[in-house]
Amino acid sequence: MTTQPPTCAKKDHLVSLHGIERNDPYHWLRDPNWQQVLRDPSVLDPEIRAHLDAENAYSKSVLGHTEPLQASLFEELKGRIKEDDSSVPAPDGDYEYYRRFETGSQYPKYCRRPLGTEAEQVMLDVNALADGHEFCSVVTVSHSPDHETLAYAVDYNGSEYYEIRFLNMKTGETATDTIPGSAGNFEWAEDSKTILYTVLDDNHRPKWVRRHTLGTDPKGDAEVYEESDSGFFVHVDKTESRQYLLIHAHDHTTSETYWIPAHEPATSPALIEARTPHVEYDVTHQGDSFYFLLREGTAKDGAILTAPVANCSRTQWKPYLEYQPGRLLEDMLMFEDHLVRHEVVDALPRIVIRKLSTKEEHTIHFDEEAYNLGVIELYEYSTAALRFSYSSMTTPGRVYDYDMESRDRILRKEQEVPSGHDPDRYVVARLSAPSRDGVSIPLTAVRLRETPIDGSAPVYLYGYGSYGLSMPAGFSTHRLSLVDRGMIAVIAHIRGGKEKGYDWYESAKLANKTKTFEDFIDSAKHLVDIGWTQPGRIVAHGGSAGGMLMGAISNIAPELFGAVVADVPFVDVLNTMCDDTLPL
């Protein structure tokens, strides 16, 4: 049994940055050949691997006494997962497409069937694809417009350098023209023979867009676009109308877009508007016009403008939907006669539908106090059918089809929890925590109805607060393992996300980043102040950038938190919270 943490060797390494020299004794843990390691983990420096193995052995030893609990939690979590799940079929022409899982299988099958029939065709069985491999990840599975070819991107070692492959859906044969080094992002042209795809550089950055024609050697693929700014990433897409292929170049604050006729994919890309620092725009198309979701200046939360395709430079953009303070336009989805907006107001999402021919609009109504919404993009453009997802901290995920004309909605699917789930057992609350500088921090909480809020219950407090990413108040089967044991689960919608718009994000960036840490601590203090819990009875959790948040708050306010958990699988969070520190 490993009872002592491993000692990490220190090796002097001087680093000079911005005129400041410092010693980084742990620099040796970064393999100088890290790009090669990404492609082939087996070439990792043996000394680095030995230290990582020692750390893992120590972690396993320290948590050894929780192994019975781990096994119990694993079965509990697995019991809430429907193994033979499937997606709602999405119609496209004469077919409808879907994916499904089978009991005991690790991976999905991608399928289709002719409309109005049950004559299923399994296009791609990822279980068969994964056979003989320790790892398999498949992304961007997409059929050609003529329904004859399936393209998909696969990674066999976890490097996220994907191979794009093509499958003939009539014969089941895989084409020989495999494309290596992709980011996994590609888009079909309307000729059903051509794709545009993004290629990663050695720093794992999508830098190039190339064009491939089925049946040709990928080594000869034409370069369509190269990004010269190392801070930018590229992405390819297609308008909902299927008329235009789009090439997006963007960083976290600035963007620009090029367009290519989808029926003429060899055409050189045309620039819509050159990048301007701190100006972002998204593009869609309808009729003779492009529509732009623009974020800039004092209107960072978004306005919608439009311009003719034939003359679409910025000087021609005309207002279509004015900027409204407090309304964050997250996304827009175009149909032949409807424009759908996914927006957020005061940390709550909503879906707003505008009929283009009349400019009449309405908002889809929901009854719960807090929830999460998503607009699901399908294949068809000339339709009044919208598909969206809905869940809350008590309501499992639902998928609805919504008629944008009649305003009727049909429940197409509800997430099944095989081990059982009764939403009436739980209570969801929206709270507002005062920050030290006077702003109100939204909190969303869920607990069992019988769990007291008198200070005796422990609290699980989650935070992220980075990159403008909002934390949704949606359903989580994993979270139930805490709540069912008497814990109050709370999401702190702290600054650094965009729950209250771009100002909420930008007020906690760069020199103001401390606002993220302060908001999280003030959220915890508020839960103590209102009598819900006590100092030392709060478990703080954050992953990725939220993990760095955890590192900061554990040093700033250690008296508030009984445990701080960062960047670990959720089952390890459960182990920590159910340990002796916070007995449940």
Side-chain angles (χ1 to χ4, degrees), residues 35-46:
Q35 290 102 330
Q36 186 180 356
V37 173
L38 273 177
R39 296 176 183 270
D40 182 5
S42 68
V43 301
L44 179 67
D45 183 291

Side-chain angles (χ1 to χ4, degrees), residues 68 86 230 432 453 485 523 552:
S86 62
S230 61
S432 183
I453 49 175
R485 286 173 168 81
S523 298

Side-chain angles (χ1 to χ4, degrees), residues 23 37 78 80 100 123 223 251 266 270 272 306 314 319 370 392 394 471 502 565 581:
N23 183 35
V37 173
K78 191 170 70 172
R80 297 196 186 104
R100 63 177 179 83
M123 302 181 297
E223 185 174 294
D251 63 4
I272 290 178
T306 186
R314 178 66 189 273
S392 74
T394 61
M471 295 297 104
Y502 259 75
V565 187
T581 310

Side-chain angles (χ1 to χ4, degrees), residues 183 185 198-199 205-209 225-227 232-236 247-250:
N185 163 231
T198 52
V199 180
R205 178 175 64 101
K207 179 176 181 178
W208 298 278
V209 175
Y225 178 85
E226 178 180 3
E227 178 52 55
F232 274 67
F233 303 82
V234 295
H235 179 84
V236 295
I247 298 173
H248 307 282
H250 59 91

Side-chain angles (χ1 to χ4, degrees), residues 39-108:
R39 296 176 183 270
D40 182 5
S42 68
V43 301
L44 179 67
D45 183 291
E47 187 177 8
I48 298 174
R49 183 178 295 279
H51 178 72
L52 295 177
D53 288 343
E55 290 280 6
N56 287 334
Y58 172 68
S59 175
K60 184 175 182 180
S61 175
V62 168
L63 292 174
H65 68 289
T66 71
E67 286 184 359
L69 174 62
Q70 291 181 46
S72 175
L73 288 170
F74 176 75
E75 292 302 321
E76 186 175 308
L77 298 178
K78 191 170 70 172
R80 297 196 186 104
I81 298 172
K82 180 176 170 57
E83 289 194 61
D84 56 343
D85 201 7
S86 62
S87 63
V88 180
D92 184 20
D94 295 332
Y95 295 92
E96 55 183 8
Y97 290 82
Y98 56 99
R99 71 172 191 171
R100 63 177 179 83
F101 290 84
E102 294 180 347
T103 301
S105 296
Q106 294 293 315
Y107 301 98

Side-chain angles (χ1 to χ4, degrees), residues 90-93 190 238-244 263 283-291 309 332-340 354 356-357 376-387 404-405:
D92 184 20
E190 287 301 295
K238 188 161 58 175
T239 60
E240 297 92 328
S241 65
R242 304 191 185 185
Q243 296 301 302
Y244 297 99
H263 291 87
V283 183
T284 189
H285 163 258
Q286 191 267 349
D288 296 327
S289 300
F290 283 135
Y291 285 71
V309 172
M332 59 181 178
L333 184 67
M334 184 66 74
F335 293 84
E336 190 172 56
D337 194 30
H338 297 87
L339 176 61
V340 178
R354 174 176 286 211
L356 296 173
S357 55
I376 301 173
E377 184 175 351
L378 301 179
Y379 302 110
E380 296 188 331
Y381 172 69
S382 301
T383 180
L386 170 70
R387 183 167 292 172
M404 294 184 284
E405 291 291 338

Side-chain angles (χ1 to χ4, degrees), residues 502-556:
Y502 259 75
D503 284 343
W504 197 248
Y505 164 41
E506 294 191 333
S507 63
K509 283 180 64 178
L510 304 173
N512 295 319
K513 189 59 189 171
T514 53
K515 297 294 183 187
T516 298
F517 313 138
E518 292 168 357
D519 282 2
F520 191 84
I521 293 168
D522 292 345
S523 298
K525 287 180 177 177
H526 181 66
L527 294 169
V528 172
D529 291 343
I530 63 176
W532 276 31
T533 192
Q534 302 172 28
R537 297 283 286 169
I538 302 173
V539 172
H541 177 216
S544 189
M548 292 186 284
L549 165 65
M550 296 302 107
I553 61 101
S554 63
N555 292 315
I556 299 171

